[in-house]
Amino acid sequence: MNIQSELLTSLKAEVRIIQIISYETLRIQAELIHAVEELEYELLIWDRVEGIRRWDGENRCFGEPDGHENPADILNYFIEECSDKTLLLLQDFYPDFTEDKPKIIRTLRNIALNMNGQKTLVLSQPHHQLPKELEKEVQVIELPYPSFADIKAIYSAVCENYHIAEIEPHDELIEAAMGLTTMEAERAFAKAYMQDKELTTAQIPAIIKEKENIIKKSGFLEYYHPAETLADIGGLERLKDWLKKRERGFDKYAKEFGLDTPKGILLLGIPGTGKSLTAKAIGSEWQFPLLRLDMGKIFGGIVGESEQNIRAALGIAEAIAPSILWIDEIEKGMSGISSSGNTDGGTTARVLGTFLTWMQEKTKPVFVVATANNISQLPPELLRKGRVDEIFFVDLPTAKERETIISIHLKRKNRNPQEFDLKALSKMSKGFSGAELEEAIKEALFQAYDTGEELATEHIKDAITKTFPLAKTMQEVIENMRNWAKARAVMASADTPEQLETNGQEKIPKLKQEQYNNPFI
Ligand code: ATP
C-alpha cells in the first residue's frame, strides 16, 4: 500500500493518532494536503515556534500563525475547539513524550481511546520515538524514500533556485539521486551544479559519489563497485550456473513469461571459500548497484534505533532497485535471537522479523545475497523454505577446483599458469580454502622476490607446506557443517568434496591459552 492510500484508509477508519517517520517535512505536508483535499478535511499544522497555521487551499499556502505555541495548549485546543473533519499535524512534538510530561502522554492516550468525532492527529518526526503507553494506540507509518517523480520535482526546484534553464532531464540523472532523501537530493544536485555550472548527465558521477558518501555515513551500508566477475571464481559451478539463469529473471519479458523475480540466496559455508567474492561478482555481472550491509552495525543503543536502521537499509536498497543487497555475515548480531525477549527487550527478534517480512513481501527487485560462516548461530526462521530462493553450501574446493583457483590467482599476478605444475600444487594443498591458496601464492611471490628469482612451482610448494589450513584446526566443525548441509542446502560445487584427513597424526600447533581448560589463564 502506498502512503497516500494508507493515509486515506486510516482517516476513513477514524484512526485518532498517526505517526509519520521521516526527515522530509515538505513531503509529509504534501501527502496530508492531498489526503485532506480528497476527503474534504480541514488541515492545521503546528510547530513549537510558529504555533498553529491553517492550510489555505485556495491560495495553496499555510496562513498566518494563530498562537498556541505551547504543546499542552495545542492538545486542549484540538480536543475542545477543532471541529469534525480536522486533521492536525504536529511537527516534532516528540520532545514532549518524556516521562516528566505524564499529563501530555495521558492526554494523547485519551485522544486515542475516547475522543469522539472525525478528528485525527498526525505526529511527524525524523525518528521512531513513542512512549510505551501509546505504542498500541498509534498507527506508525514510515515515509518511503522519494520516488522518481519526487526526485524529478526536486530537480525542477533546484533548476528554478539557481536559474538554470530547465531541460527535460535524462532519466539517468534522476535515477542517480534515487536512494537519497529530498534534502539530500537537493544538496547533491546543487553541489554538482556549483562545481560544473551545469546539471546534465555529465554530473551523474558527482551525484553518485555524493550518494555513496551519504549512504556510507549511515555506518551500516556501503556502496561497492566490484571488478570481480564470475570468471574470477574457481569452481562453484552449480552456484554459477544457477546465477546465470536467474540474471534473466530481471529482464522485462521474464514476468510476462511467468517467472518470479529472484528474491535472493543464502550462502553458507567455510570461511575463505568465495562467498563474498560471489556477492561481488553478481554485482558486476548483473550491473546492478551493490550495497553491503553490515548486520553487526545495525544494532544501536537507543530504543527503536536498530529497527529503524534495518528499515532504512531496506528502504535505500528498494529506492535504488534493481539492486543487490549483500548481507555479509548475517549471523552477526543474530546470535541472541532465542533469548532476545529476555536479554535485549526483543530487539534482535524484531530486527529479524522486519527483515523476514520484507523478504516475504518485497515487490521491488532487490536481490539479497546473505553470507554466513557460522551456521549454528543462524536463526532457524531464516532457513525455512521460501525465505530465499535457494540455500547454497560452499565447501572447501576439490582438487580440480584448487587447480582452477591457483591458476586464477597466478593470472591475476600476470603469471602464465601453464608454466606451473598445477596438479602437484593442487594435490599437496588438500583442505586449503580459496583464500588460503591465494595467500600461499602471495607468500611465494615474496619469497621469490627476496631471493631474486622468478616465481616457480617450488616457491608455491614451499608456502603451502608452511601453511596450516583452517580445515585442520576446524575439522570437526567442517564435518558437522557438511552433515548439516547435506539435508538442507544445495552444494555450490558440482563435485563431491574430499574427505578431510582424520588420522590425527599431524600435530596441530595450539596457542598457550588453548592448552588449558581454565578460562582465567
Ligand atoms: P569470509 O566470510 O571469511 O570472508 P568468504 O567465503 O566470504 O569467507 P571470500 O572473502 O570470498 O571468502 O574469499 C577471500 C578471497 O579468497 C577472495 O577475495 C578470493 O581472492 C579468494 N578466493 C576464495 N575462494 C575463491 C574461489 N573459489 N576462487 C577464486 N578465489 C577465491
Side-chain angles (χ1 to χ4, degrees):
M1 207 191 284
N2 69 25
I3 170 132
Q4 192 50 221
S5 44
E6 202 166 342
L7 263 175
L8 290 174
T9 315
S10 307
L11 291 176
K12 284 181 196 156
E14 298 185 9
V15 173
R16 298 282 172 238
I17 307 181
I18 299 170
Q19 185 180 53
I20 304 184
I21 298 170
S22 173
Y23 283 97
E24 308 198 48
T25 322
L26 292 180
R27 273 181 67 217
I28 297 178
Q29 290 174 6
E31 294 290 352
L32 296 185
I33 290 167
H34 290 144
V36 295
E37 287 183 344
E38 164 110 20
L39 298 180
E40 296 181 353
Y41 267 52
E42 176 152 39
L43 174 63
L44 298 171
I45 184 173
W46 173 94
D47 66 57
R48 66 189 68 233
V49 177
E50 297 260 32
I52 277 200
R53 287 170 294 148
R54 202 169 289 267
W55 173 245
D56 173 356
E58 221 161 280
N59 294 308
R60 318 283 315 147
C61 63
F62 285 100
E64 286 302 307
D66 189 14
H68 300 292
E69 294 86 5
N70 185 332
D73 282 358
I74 184 64
L75 295 183
N76 290 335
Y77 172 82
F78 178 67
I79 297 168
E80 282 161 23
E81 295 184 39
C82 286
S83 53
D84 252 11
K85 294 198 118 185
T86 296
L87 194 154
L88 171 60
L89 168 63
L90 302 181
Q91 303 188 116
D92 293 337
F93 191 80
Y94 63 94
D96 285 286
F97 285 159
T98 48
E99 279 170 16
D100 59 336
K101 305 266 177 71
K103 210 166 157 192
I104 285 194
I105 295 176
R106 185 64 228 182
T107 311
L108 282 167
R109 208 157 139 74
N110 286 345
I111 290 175
L113 296 171
N114 310 325
M115 199 183 61
N116 291 322
Q118 283 177 300
K119 293 195 276 190
T120 296
L121 265 188
V122 175
L123 307 163
S124 76
Q125 55 194 68
H127 49 83
H128 182 88
Q129 188 183 334
L130 203 57
K132 269 240 159 321
E133 297 86 329
L134 291 171
E135 265 176 15
K136 301 266 183 260
E137 336 296 351
V138 174
Q139 183 190 345
V140 180
I141 299 178
E142 210 138 334
L143 195 68
Y145 274 81
S147 63
F148 186 89
D150 295 327
I151 299 279
K152 206 167 168 183
I154 296 295
Y155 166 83
S156 299
V158 171
C159 287
E160 202 179 316
N161 269 355
Y162 290 90
H163 310 291
I164 309 168
E166 191 183 335
I167 42 159
E168 181 58 23
H170 218 279
D171 281 3
E172 284 166 20
L173 179 68
I174 304 298
E175 274 161 14
M178 291 192 69
L180 295 176
T181 63
T182 45
M183 290 289 290
E184 290 164 346
E186 190 179 334
R187 215 172 340 149
F189 284 137
K191 272 174 87 175
Y193 174 71
M194 282 306 182
Q195 225 166 31
D196 304 337
K197 292 287 172 252
E198 59 171 359
L199 205 45
T200 64
T201 41
Q203 280 65 54
I204 290 176
I207 290 168
I208 290 186
K209 187 99 208 106
E210 179 76 6
K211 175 159 83 176
E212 287 174 13
N213 287 339
I214 290 168
I215 287 176
K216 202 171 176 180
K217 261 196 244 151
S218 71
F220 44 80
L221 268 187
E222 205 176 329
Y223 226 95
Y224 258 75
H225 296 278
E228 295 87 343
T229 64
L230 290 180
D232 292 312
I233 307 173
L236 313 190
E237 292 306 331
R238 200 173 281 151
L239 170 60
K240 288 197 275 189
D241 233 42
W242 189 96
L243 288 169
K244 279 179 194 150
K245 285 191 192 117
R246 289 315 181 277
E247 180 179 2
R248 298 205 49 207
F250 291 96
D251 69 32
K252 52 184 175 192
Y253 308 108
K255 257 218 160 72
E256 280 170 34
F257 195 76
L259 299 185
D260 289 336
T261 311
K263 272 198 254 184
I265 46 172
L266 185 54
L267 301 178
L268 307 175
I270 298 159
T273 46
K275 299 183 292 298
S276 308
L277 180 62
T278 307
K280 292 181 212 162
I282 302 172
S284 58
E285 290 274 344
W286 294 6
Q287 300 270 303
F288 291 166
L290 173 66
L291 286 176
R292 179 176 173 273
L293 171 65
D294 187 333
M295 209 55 175
K297 292 198 178 136
I298 283 285
F299 293 90
I302 305 168
V303 178
E305 194 184 352
S306 316
E307 293 93 312
Q308 200 177 333
N309 286 346
I310 186 83
R311 282 196 296 264
L314 303 177
I316 292 174
E318 287 199 335
I320 60 168
S323 60
I324 293 167
L325 182 64
W326 164 27
I327 311 181
D328 201 17
E329 297 184 52
I330 192 169
E331 74 273 35
K332 251 207 246 163
M334 291 287 178
S335 51
I337 189 84
S338 51
S339 57
S340 173
N342 303 326
T343 53
D344 65 2
T347 300
T348 314
R350 281 197 298 273
V351 167
L352 179 68
T354 306
F355 173 69
L356 293 178
T357 312
W358 174 80
M359 278 298 284
Q360 202 94 18
E361 293 172 0
K362 77 182 151 83
T363 49
K364 297 263 169 69
V366 179
F367 187 77
V368 173
V369 183
T371 66
N373 287 336
N374 192 337
I375 295 174
S376 65
Q377 283 186 358
L378 277 178
E381 297 91 319
L382 193 67
L383 301 166
R384 236 171 257 154
K385 266 252 161 295
R387 295 292 195 203
V388 286
D389 297 318
E390 201 61 89
I391 300 176
F392 283 99
F393 180 70
V394 189
D395 208 322
L396 289 168
T398 61
K400 214 165 115 226
E401 288 175 328
R402 287 198 299 277
E403 274 187 46
T404 322
I405 296 173
I406 295 170
S407 127
I408 287 173
H409 287 285
L410 283 171
K411 272 192 221 152
R412 263 204 213 165
K413 297 293 176 193
N414 298 321
R415 300 305 197 280
N416 180 359
Q418 285 172 353
E419 291 170 7
F420 294 80
D421 187 349
L422 298 177
K423 280 218 155 28
L425 291 173
S426 158
K427 195 166 173 218
M428 66 184 296
S429 58
K430 187 171 170 185
F432 275 52
S433 67
E436 285 162 341
L437 290 172
E438 182 186 9
E439 278 313 308
I441 291 172
K442 283 186 184 168
E443 179 56 30
L445 274 166
F446 268 109
Q447 288 301 336
Y449 191 68
D450 196 39
T451 49
E453 295 162 338
E454 181 38 42
L455 181 72
T457 302
E458 285 315 308
H459 297 113
I460 308 176
K461 277 188 176 173
D462 218 37
I464 289 175
T465 320
K466 287 186 184 136
T467 308
F468 246 92
L470 210 61
K472 285 198 173 142
T473 46
M474 284 179 60
Q475 211 173 79
E476 207 180 315
V477 180
I478 293 173
E479 284 304 340
N480 284 343
M481 275 206 232
R482 281 178 176 171
N483 287 334
W484 179 92
K486 261 183 215 152
R488 295 167 179 90
V490 173
M491 299 298 145
S493 168
D495 301 331
T496 321
E498 295 155 302
Q499 283 301 306
L500 296 170
E501 304 290 349
T502 50
N503 56 19
Q505 302 291 309
E506 208 152 1
K507 211 163 163 41
I508 299 168
K510 281 191 171 182
L511 295 174
K512 213 170 179 186
Q513 63 268 36
E514 286 178 315
Q515 301 181 18
Y516 306 97
N517 213 3
N518 183 340
F520 301 106
I521 295 173

